């Protein structure tokens, strides 16, 4: 255990030409682990006496942390614990009494994993191997080998999945138990811990990170994605039918000339794809946030108070009012979408288009929006009405479409649906956005609403209003006096 041999039982550190994308990480970890196990300069591996037994080949967590800080020039203890936890999560050493693979800076005892079970050997254990391991655990009457709750659930699930071949699995587990009983007691105890740690890596405790899962981008870089799975216990199952958990593997098809050409064209398309710099994306996001900040009642306290935080609903009444304030009108200038969201903004924009004799564009857009919200039984009839009103030959409110959008819409209307006019609606929206909407923002109608200018009454109207108010007050006083006189008792 003190030395780090390059091979053990024909299986050692994997070939550098192996196709696993994680091999670089494994190389670095294994270099540290080998140094940890050196007789000179490594940690002291010893046998610890417990109450009634001895615990062989262990080292404490604090010793590992101290070695990492000393030999890897780590100054912070938390950083050393984090690095050790990453190494433990890959299964290179493990706590002897816990299924959670992490490093603690205390007297917790750890044991180094055998090179046979290192992840650099590219293990991909099958569910049948896991079922054999759990069956072995149930056959041994030892407290330390009792199944945890999640392992018992996994065993029940596997027994149900492999019901047809469970007898075979049980026989293999019995054979493994007989072989283990012939081994020395100390050797058997070490192997049991290493085997448990191996499955804690490949079938981790719920809530723990599975370090064997490979990123999809790394999988695409594999040279041999059809790699044959390695059997943990050296048991072949040639006579058994393939299980549902492991579909049969097919030989990898040789790439043809057409495949290579498709890949080249795909990569060329990706190179020509327009990409935005992160700085521009950040500037755009910051600009959007600053623009809408004053309209977020949780960021900027509104006037009146926020109805989500108080019982006052005046804010909603102001937002639904037909007489918009400057704050609400200003939002129409952000985009055409914002103007059409507001009912008043939509009405004002429609009036402006009527003055320019182009209101059919907005009426068509609104009709299509209404079509999307109609009940299914009314969709076909409403779609035909829209076609007859805006797109058919001699339509009373004909709109201007490009040939591509018109052809697509003509094809879709043969089987009318909610989205038959999607292309035409998008074309009309872009037309209003680029042409009519910019003129609407410059129009006197919008500018008057934005600056809240109102016509002041003339002097004659002001004089007539003042004299009328005086007359009303005098009549009210005289009528009130007469009522009081009638109510007074006679002398």
């Amino acid at each position: 255990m003190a030395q780090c041999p390059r091979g053990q039982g024909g299986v050692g550190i994997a070939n550098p030409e192996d196709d696993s994308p994680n091999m670089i990480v494994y190389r670095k970890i294994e270099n540290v682990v080998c140094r940890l196990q050196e007789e000179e300069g490594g940690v002291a591996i010893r046998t610890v006496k417990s109450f009634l037994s001895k615990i062989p080949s262990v080292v404490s967590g604090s010793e590992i942390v101290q070695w990492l800080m000393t030999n890897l020039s780590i100054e912070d203890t938390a950083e050393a614990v984090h690095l050790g936890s990453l190494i433990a999560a890959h299964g290179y050493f493990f706590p002897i009494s816990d299924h959670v693979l992490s490093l603690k800076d205390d007297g917790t005892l750890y044991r180094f994993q055998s090179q046979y079970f290192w992840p650099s050997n590219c293990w991909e254990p099958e569910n049948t191997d896991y079922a054999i391991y759990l069956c072995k655990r149930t056959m041994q009457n030892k407290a330390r080998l009792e199944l945890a709750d999640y392992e018992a659930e996994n065993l029940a699930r596997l027994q149900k999945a492999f019901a047809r071949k469970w007898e075979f699995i049980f026989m293999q587990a019995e054979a493994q138990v007989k072989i283990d009983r012939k081994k020395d007691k100390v050797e058997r105890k070490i192997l049991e811990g290493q085997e448990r740690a191996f499955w804690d890596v490949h079938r981790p405790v719920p809530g723990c990170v599975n370090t064997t899962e490979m990123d999809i981008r790394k999988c695409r870089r594999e040279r041999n994605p059809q790699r044959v799975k390695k059997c943990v216990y050296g048991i072949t199952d040639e006579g058994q039918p393939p299980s549902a958990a492991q579909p049969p593997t097919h030989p990898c098809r040789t790439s043809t000339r057409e495949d290579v050409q498709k890949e080249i064209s795909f990569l060329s398309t990706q190179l020509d794809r327009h990409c935005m710099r992160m700085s521009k994306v950040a500037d755009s996001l910051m600009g959007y946030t600053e623009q809408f900040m004053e309209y977020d009642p949780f960021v900027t306290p509104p006037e009146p108070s926020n109805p989500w935080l108080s019982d006052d609903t005046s804010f909603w009444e102001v937002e639904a009012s037909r007489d918009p304030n400057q704050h609400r009108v200003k939002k129409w200038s952000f985009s055409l979408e914002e103007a059409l969201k507001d009912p008043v903004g939509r009405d004002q924009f429609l009036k402006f288009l009527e003055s320019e004799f182009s209101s059919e564009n907005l009426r068509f857009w609104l009709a299509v929006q209404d079509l999307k919200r109609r009940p299914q039984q009314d969709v076909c009839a409403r779609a035909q009405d829209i076609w007859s009103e805006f797109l058919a030959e001699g339509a009373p409110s004909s709109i201007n479409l490009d040939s591509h959008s018109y052809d697509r819409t003509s094809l879709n209307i043969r089987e009318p649906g909610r989205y038959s006019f999607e292309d035409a609606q998008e074309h009309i929206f872009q037309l209003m956005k680029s042409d009519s909407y910019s003129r609407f923002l410059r129009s006197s109608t919008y500018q008057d609403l934005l600056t809240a200018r109102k016509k002041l009454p003339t002097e004659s109207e002001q004089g007539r209003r003042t004299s009328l108010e005086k007359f009303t007050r005098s009549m009210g006083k005289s009528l009130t006096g007469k009522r009081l006189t009638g109510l007074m008792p006679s002398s």
Side-chain angles (χ1 to χ4, degrees):
M1 183 67 75
Q3 294 181 353
C4 192
R6 286 293 172 188
Q8 181 175 342
V11 181
I13 298 179
N15 191 336
E17 297 300 323
D18 195 281
D19 59 355
S20 173
N22 292 331
M23 194 56 62
I24 296 176
V25 177
Y26 297 152
R27 291 271 177 253
K28 294 181 179 179
I29 295 177
E30 289 166 7
N31 183 32
V32 175
V33 174
C34 287
R35 291 175 60 188
L36 270 167
Q37 298 181 78
E38 289 178 353
E39 291 183 358
E40 297 180 1
V43 292
I45 301 173
R46 63 191 186 277
T47 299
V48 177
K49 294 182 180 180
S50 64
F51 180 63
L52 294 174
S53 62
K54 295 181 180 180
I55 306 174
S57 303
V58 292
V59 62
S60 68
S62 58
E63 291 175 340
I64 297 177
V65 172
Q66 187 61 38
W67 187 93
L68 292 174
M69 295 181 67
T70 304
N71 292 270
L72 301 182
S73 303
I74 299 175
E75 298 179 356
D76 188 6
T77 305
E79 184 178 351
V81 172
H82 176 66
L83 176 60
S85 296
L86 291 178
I87 298 174
H90 286 81
Y92 287 96
F93 56 77
F94 55 91
I96 63 171
S97 59
D98 193 358
H99 287 278
V100 179
L101 301 177
S102 62
L103 179 63
K104 298 178 182 179
D105 187 15
D106 53 19
T108 304
L109 298 179
Y110 292 83
R111 181 176 291 137
F112 287 98
Q113 181 63 283
S114 169
Q115 286 194 26
Y116 179 77
F117 290 120
W118 279 3
S120 58
N121 291 319
C122 303
W123 291 105
E124 293 184 14
E126 302 178 5
N127 286 331
T128 51
D129 295 325
Y130 189 43
I132 294 172
Y133 164 71
L134 294 177
C135 278
K136 284 173 54 180
R137 292 269 299 277
T138 59
M139 296 176 185
Q140 297 168 338
N141 298 323
K142 296 178 182 178
R144 71 174 186 274
L145 295 176
E146 266 187 35
L147 295 181
D149 292 339
Y150 79 95
E151 290 178 318
E153 293 176 2
N154 290 340
L155 178 60
R157 192 178 301 113
L158 289 170
Q159 188 172 1
K160 184 178 180 181
F162 299 127
R164 295 183 178 181
K165 56 189 300 186
W166 192 252
E167 184 179 355
F168 166 79
I169 293 173
F170 191 81
M171 291 172 56
Q172 296 294 346
E174 281 185 330
Q176 288 292 320
V177 170
K178 291 179 182 179
I179 294 173
D180 291 343
R181 285 174 180 169
K182 295 179 182 180
K183 296 178 181 177
D184 180 68
K185 183 178 180 181
V186 175
E187 182 185 357
R188 185 169 68 247
K189 187 179 292 187
I190 293 174
L191 180 60
E192 287 170 354
Q194 291 174 340
E195 192 177 18
R196 177 181 60 81
F198 171 82
W199 286 110
D200 286 340
V201 172
H202 293 273
R203 300 293 189 275
V205 180
C208 293
V209 177
N210 188 352
T211 57
T212 63
E213 290 182 351
M214 198 176 297
D215 186 85
I216 184 64
R217 291 169 293 184
K218 291 184 178 180
C219 290
R220 288 176 62 87
R221 292 202 297 267
E222 280 192 310
R223 293 192 296 275
N224 184 18
Q226 301 293 335
R227 182 173 64 247
V228 178
K229 295 186 177 182
K230 297 172 66 175
C231 190
V232 179
Y233 300 109
I235 301 169
T236 58
D237 188 16
E238 296 177 356
Q240 299 297 325
S243 64
Q246 181 196 2
T249 57
H250 301 283
C252 185
R253 185 174 65 88
T254 305
S255 298
T256 61
R257 183 184 182 90
E258 290 76 9
D259 296 335
V260 176
Q261 289 177 346
K262 287 181 180 179
E263 186 174 0
I264 292 174
S265 61
F266 172 77
L267 294 175
S268 300
T269 305
Q270 296 299 311
L271 288 174
D272 296 337
R273 188 179 62 177
H274 176 69
C275 298
M276 293 184 65
R277 291 184 178 180
M278 192 61 191
S279 57
K280 291 186 177 180
V281 175
D283 291 340
S284 177
L285 180 60
M286 291 175 62
Y288 178 87
T289 305
E290 292 174 357
Q291 186 180 48
F292 284 88
M293 185 181 297
E294 59 179 312
Y295 292 92
D296 190 334
F298 289 98
V299 177
T300 304
E303 290 295 336
S305 62
N306 189 344
W308 287 277
L309 302 178
S310 64
D311 295 331
D312 187 8
T313 60
S314 302
F315 177 77
W316 289 333
E317 295 173 359
V318 171
E319 288 295 309
S321 173
R322 302 296 299 181
D323 186 15
N325 52 24
Q326 291 176 303
H327 186 261
R328 185 172 155 192
V329 173
K330 180 183 175 183
K331 195 176 182 181
W332 301 350
S333 63
F334 293 171
S335 65
L336 179 57
E337 291 89 344
E338 294 296 333
L340 296 180
K341 284 180 184 177
D342 193 324
V344 181
R346 188 166 57 245
D347 293 344
Q348 293 293 333
F349 187 50
L350 180 60
K351 290 179 182 178
F352 172 76
L353 293 179
E354 288 175 350
S355 66
E356 291 195 337
F357 305 100
S358 59
S359 62
E360 65 277 358
N361 290 334
L362 182 56
R363 287 191 286 110
F364 169 75
W365 188 87
L366 294 175
V368 176
Q369 287 293 102
D370 176 68
L371 175 66
K372 296 176 182 179
R373 295 188 288 266
R374 285 291 182 100
Q376 185 61 38
Q377 62 268 20
D378 300 339
V379 169
C380 292
R382 181 55 182 156
Q384 292 294 343
D385 293 342
I386 294 174
W387 173 265
S388 301
E389 184 178 358
F390 296 101
L391 293 169
E393 292 185 9
S397 302
S398 179
I399 58 175
N400 186 18
L401 283 183
D402 62 321
S403 58
H404 174 73
S405 301
Y406 185 83
D407 293 341
R408 290 289 300 273
T409 307
S410 302
L411 185 63
N412 294 338
I413 200 64
R414 295 176 183 176
E415 296 180 2
R418 297 182 187 276
Y419 303 97
S420 299
F421 299 96
E422 195 73 16
D423 295 310
Q425 186 188 31
E426 179 63 22
H427 177 78
I428 291 299
F429 182 84
Q430 294 298 331
L431 187 65
M432 293 190 297
K433 183 178 179 179
S434 61
D435 186 25
S436 305
Y437 174 64
S438 56
R439 292 201 303 273
F440 168 69
L441 297 180
R442 295 193 300 268
S443 66
S444 58
T445 304
Y446 176 75
Q447 294 297 328
D448 289 344
L449 291 171
L450 184 62
T451 56
R453 291 200 299 263
K454 296 182 178 180
K455 294 182 179 181
L456 297 175
T458 60
E459 293 183 359
S460 58
E461 291 176 347
Q462 185 70 27
R464 286 197 297 271
R465 185 179 299 171
T466 305
S467 60
L468 180 60
E469 290 174 355
K470 290 181 179 179
F471 174 74
T472 305
R473 292 196 193 98
S474 61
M475 289 296 294
K477 290 180 181 179
S478 61
L479 291 172
T480 304
K482 289 180 178 179
R483 291 194 189 99
L484 291 174
T485 303
L487 292 174
M488 290 176 63
S490 58
S491 52

